[in-house]
Amino acid sequence: DGGITQSPKYLFRKEGQNVTLSCEQNLNHDAMYWYRQDPGQGLRLIYYSQIVNDFQKGDIAEGYSVSREKKESFPLTVTSAQKNPTAFYLCASSIYSPQHNEQFFGPGTRLTVL
Amino acid sequence: SQELEQSPQSLIVQEGKNLTINCTSSKTLYGLYWYKQKYGEGLIFLMMLQKGGEEKSHEKITAKLDEKKQQSSLHITASQPSHAGIYLCGAAFNNDMRFGAGTRLTVKP
């Protein structure tokens, strides 16, 4: 089955710790995206990547880092510099660009900082 | 997102009633997407509209894009509890996708 997976579903971390969220897709999509969702605010773009070994900052990249070493993988690291990391994180992928193709979303990871 | 305004923010309807959700942009939309999200889950793609005046339907959900391509509406006919969730509109601006804040729909049996 083709799709996009995120792990883990729930994640807890202590303040001051870095944590990495996994995102994998087997849809052969070029582009991948990370969003953060907070109650009542919709989705905000953190980072996106249109091709392997290249990525761009979105609107709220501070305190986050990403890598795109493989086409199918786009992990997101939430660093200790992120002041309010508790949120629901969604990963998405699309064929090439969002102008012509819908994004497919993973099930999300809920991160809670204790 | 400042690029896309959704209304209403939340909606409570009785089962069987019709409803409409709106999505408005100050810029011309070259691709408008509607998604549905259940709480704590990912987004499910519903429909995409590209042409001015375009209308698409899937089961009891109809989405329209106005002629000026700056406003879209999502209409649900004879709502059911299975329609409950958060509906989000999304559109591409430059090379990334932006989303509205979402409309939370509750359907009372």
Side-chain angles (χ1 to χ4, degrees):
Chain A
D1 286 336
I4 181 166
T5 58
Q6 290 184 243
S7 61
K9 179 75 172 171
Y10 298 96
L11 192 54
F12 298 89
R13 78 150 214 220
K14 294 181 180 179
E15 277 191 36
Q17 289 181 336
N18 292 355
V19 63
T20 298
L21 281 60
S22 168
C23 178
E24 304 276 332
Q25 54 97 2
N26 60 5
L27 300 166
N28 201 31
H29 285 173
D30 295 304
M32 296 187 75
Y33 312 81
W34 273 107
Y35 295 92
R36 170 182 172 141
Q37 187 177 32
D38 295 283
Q41 292 195 41
L43 276 65
R44 290 185 289 169
L45 183 65
I46 305 172
Y47 269 98
Y48 66 100
S49 168
Q50 293 183 308
I51 196 169
V52 174
N53 292 323
D54 187 44
F55 46 83
Q56 286 78 40
K57 293 182 179 180
D59 296 328
I60 55 166
E62 185 175 351
Y64 299 97
S65 66
V66 293
S67 63
R68 187 85 189 276
E69 298 177 2
K70 298 186 294 183
K71 187 176 185 178
E72 58 270 22
S73 179
F74 191 40
L76 173 75
T77 297
V78 184
T79 75
S80 56
Q82 168 52 232
K83 299 192 185 308
N84 185 21
T86 295
F88 188 55
Y89 291 87
L90 285 161
C91 180
S93 69
S94 65
I95 292 176
Y96 178 66
S97 69
Q99 283 91 341
H100 302 292
N101 296 285
E102 70 269 21
Q103 293 184 348
F104 291 78
F105 283 81
T109 293
R110 185 166 297 280
L111 172 65
T112 303
V113 175
L114 303 172
Chain B
S1 166
Q2 293 181 344
E3 288 91 352
L4 294 172
E5 296 286 339
Q6 270 188 254
S7 63
Q9 285 187 327
S10 65
L11 198 51
I12 302 173
V13 299
Q14 200 70 37
E15 183 176 356
K17 295 294 185 183
N18 301 338
L19 64 105
T20 300
I21 297 168
N22 294 301
C23 178
T24 303
S25 173
S26 57
K27 302 176 183 178
T28 300
L29 299 166
Y30 291 100
L32 188 285
Y33 299 79
W34 282 102
Y35 289 87
K36 180 185 175 184
Q37 183 185 30
K38 294 203 170 180
Y39 181 75
E41 298 180 10
L43 277 65
I44 304 298
F45 171 74
L46 295 175
M47 278 173 274
M48 175 192 171
L49 305 165
Q50 280 190 301
K51 300 176 184 176
E54 187 175 8
E55 179 176 320
K56 287 186 178 178
S57 293
H58 176 67
E59 297 180 341
K60 294 186 177 180
I61 300 176
T62 300
K64 300 178 185 179
L65 182 62
D66 74 339
E67 290 289 346
K68 290 185 178 180
K69 294 171 57 173
Q70 286 186 293
Q71 184 169 11
S72 178
S73 61
L74 187 81
H75 184 78
I76 298 178
T77 304
S79 59
Q80 300 169 355
S82 61
H83 287 129
I86 301 171
Y87 290 83
L88 297 101
C89 63
F93 295 97
N94 300 317
N95 284 323
D96 55 70
M97 181 86 91
R98 301 303 172 102
F99 290 86
T103 296
R104 183 179 293 275
L105 172 63
T106 302
V107 180
K108 288 188 171 181

